[in-house]
Amino acid sequence: MRSANFHYFRSNSSKMTYTPALNRYQGMEYRKCGNSGLKLPAFSLGLWHNFGLVNSFENARNLLRTAFDQGITHFDLANNYGPPYGSAEANFGRIMNFDFRSYRDELIISSKAGYDMWDGPYGNWGSKKYLVASLDQSLKRMNLDYVDIFYHHRPDPETPLEETMSALDQIVRQGKALYVGISNYRQEEAAKSIEILKQLGTPCLIHQPKYSMFERWVEDGLLDLLGREGVGCIPFSPLAQGLLTDKYLEGIPEDSRVKTSGKFLNESHITEDRLGKTARLNTLAQERGQKLAQMALAWLLKDERVTSVLIGSSKPEQIVDSIKALNNKSFTADEIRTIDSILG
Ligand SMILES: NC(=O)c1ccc[n+]([C@@H]2O[C@H](COP(=O)([O-])OP(=O)(O)OC[C@H]3O[C@@H](n4cnc5c(N)ncnc54)[C@H](OP(=O)(O)O)[C@@H]3O)[C@@H](O)[C@H]2O)c1
């Protein structure tokens, strides 16, 4: 759903004051992002789903408050999160004003451009024209002077990498982003981008790939590259949008992403094969004293090259639940073998 121009309803609760939990930094682990001086929380919260104009504003606000109370200092956005496009950033901007303005320096806020955003030849992909204009729009929607991390969202086969990387470099030099990253880049194009950014003097901070027990392509060289180059890694969809939880084992709940959204995750993804694997993984998780979601997240965090796992949540209690993965993130060799054999 496109639209950069939309109106928002006013929330009566905007005057409710928020005081973050005083002990918010005690339970979270913070990991160095590659060779940089920046630390990210082991869990970051993404605003892809549940923050659009179509969603409950109060729930979105509670999700962000709960996350921050748990020590999650990193919120991840993109120009087109919604729906409609832009509305997750606009809602986030309002919540920033209501609740987080005093805590800006405790937060790492990221946005991205690279997918379809507005009509015409300058609202998509990877030209300098698109990236610079898109970040200007994102900053306005979020009421921010700068983002902490700005990503190119996906590689563009038609724009020279030099141009896209020079746009990222320019954005940092203009003070509109502190760091830059790439997302969805395969190993070879990631290697070239990292090298170009190094030459430009704006090192690539982080790569954001899709990575979970069900999606392991990053293990075929990309993770090794990031480790070698000192670039952080923040896997997105670490629960495969909810498939790596126990929620679909007994049918499809009405409040699940499959029913409430259905665009990127639908019934066709819940195959017999997946359900069989999920059930076996669930048994192993129970033996480890964890829920399946917690084991799936811990499994990613066992690798030190993974800086943070980028979770999504539809309910505040899911955030609290997922973070408990930190209570057990070591795996025996036997457990790893069992997981590999279940996943095939
Ligand atoms: N760079 C990219 O191209 C790209 C692409 C996609 C996503 N991302 C980023 O990654 C973030 C996360 O993606 P994602 O939302 O797909 O991540 P995910 O963590 O794999 O899935 C999140 C969904 O899983 C369910 N869930 C989460 N915690 C749970 C728990 N403890 N117990 C049971 N169910 C739980 C919820 O679904 P229900 O609605 O069913 O409750 C939740 O909405 C996005 O917000 C975005 O920032 C980036």
Side-chain angles (χ1 to χ4, degrees):
M1 199 191 298
R2 280 164 184 266
S3 171
N5 299 316
F6 33 73
H7 301 286
Y8 294 98
F9 63 91
R10 287 201 175 277
S11 161
N12 289 331
S13 61
S14 58
K15 291 195 185 71
M16 270 169 48
T17 49
Y18 162 60
T19 309
L22 290 177
N23 62 354
R24 61 188 176 279
Y25 290 115
Q26 281 162 21
M28 181 53 65
E29 181 186 323
Y30 298 90
R31 297 178 160 207
K32 215 159 153 337
C33 191
N35 284 347
S36 78
L38 185 71
K39 285 183 180 166
L40 291 182
F43 293 84
S44 301
L45 181 67
L47 281 72
W48 179 34
H49 281 74
N50 307 305
F51 289 84
L53 196 55
V54 299
N55 303 110
S56 153
F57 181 79
E58 280 315 310
N59 188 54
R61 194 174 178 186
N62 281 334
L63 288 167
L64 290 168
R65 288 176 169 200
T66 303
F68 193 54
D69 284 344
Q70 299 292 319
I72 294 183
T73 50
H74 177 25
F75 301 142
D76 179 75
L77 296 105
N79 56 357
N80 61 353
Y81 289 176
Y85 290 176
S87 63
E89 288 185 331
N91 275 336
F92 179 74
R94 293 176 68 210
I95 298 168
M96 261 313 282
N97 280 344
F98 294 155
D99 294 337
F100 293 104
R101 191 52 65 194
S102 323
Y103 305 97
R104 174 66 184 97
D105 294 339
E106 294 184 44
L107 289 174
I108 298 296
I109 300 164
S110 59
S111 190
K112 321 181 191 80
Y115 283 97
D116 172 48
M117 184 61 195
W118 65 84
D119 289 336
Y122 318 119
N124 202 344
W125 294 106
S127 68
K128 182 176 277 192
K129 170 77 177 164
Y130 171 43
L131 297 192
V132 170
S134 180
L135 178 56
D136 283 346
Q137 293 182 15
S138 293
L139 292 174
K140 279 196 197 112
R141 280 191 290 267
M142 292 191 283
N143 291 311
L144 296 176
D145 299 326
Y146 69 95
V147 290
D148 296 277
I149 308 171
F150 185 65
Y151 288 92
H152 187 221
H153 210 155
R154 62 163 165 179
D156 174 358
E158 289 190 16
T159 300
L161 269 181
E162 286 76 6
E163 175 174 337
T164 305
M165 296 307 128
S166 128
L168 298 183
D169 173 62
Q170 174 180 316
I171 279 164
V172 169
R173 287 177 198 279
Q174 289 176 328
K176 294 175 183 170
L178 300 184
Y179 302 93
V180 293
I182 51 178
S183 180
N184 296 304
Y185 276 56
R186 299 268 149 183
Q187 183 190 348
E188 199 180 320
E189 52 210 355
K192 285 187 191 147
S193 308
I194 291 167
E195 186 51 37
I196 296 169
L197 284 170
K198 209 187 290 175
Q199 300 294 330
L200 290 168
T202 297
C204 181
L205 175 80
I206 195 162
H207 189 303
Q208 189 178 124
K210 192 188 223 181
Y211 183 25
S212 71
M213 280 178 165
F214 283 157
E215 182 99 31
R216 299 179 66 172
W217 67 272
V218 305
E219 294 171 5
D220 297 334
L222 181 70
L223 261 181
D224 290 337
L225 170 79
L226 301 179
R228 253 192 335 270
E229 294 289 339
V231 173
C233 177
I234 180 162
F236 74 76
S237 297
L239 295 176
Q241 300 196 58
L243 294 178
L244 282 164
T245 70
D246 54 14
K247 76 171 52 182
Y248 295 108
L249 287 174
E250 308 293 335
I252 304 178
E254 283 305 313
D255 62 352
S256 64
R257 186 175 291 187
V258 167
K259 291 280 187 186
T260 58
S261 171
K263 186 172 173 196
F264 297 96
L265 185 71
N266 55 51
E267 294 193 23
S268 73
H269 294 102
I270 307 177
T271 59
E272 282 302 312
D273 178 57
R274 277 232 168 99
L275 277 179
K277 288 176 177 166
T278 309
R280 291 172 67 199
L281 290 168
N282 193 42
T283 304
L284 178 63
Q286 284 168 347
E287 285 164 13
R288 285 169 47 86
Q290 285 180 314
K291 290 187 176 176
L292 173 52
Q294 292 160 350
M295 182 175 84
L297 296 166
W299 181 84
L300 288 168
L301 286 168
K302 72 182 174 353
D303 190 323
E304 287 178 358
R305 294 167 300 184
V306 170
T307 318
S308 179
V309 286
L310 181 46
I311 57 172
S313 292
S314 63
K315 300 171 190 67
E317 50 278 20
Q318 288 176 347
I319 297 175
V320 178
D321 191 49
S322 292
I323 286 172
K324 291 192 183 133
L326 288 175
N327 295 340
N328 181 10
K329 57 184 169 56
S330 63
F331 289 79
T332 64
D334 259 2
E335 288 171 337
I336 295 290
R337 264 193 299 277
T338 305
I339 290 169
D340 286 344
S341 83
I342 292 172
L343 296 173

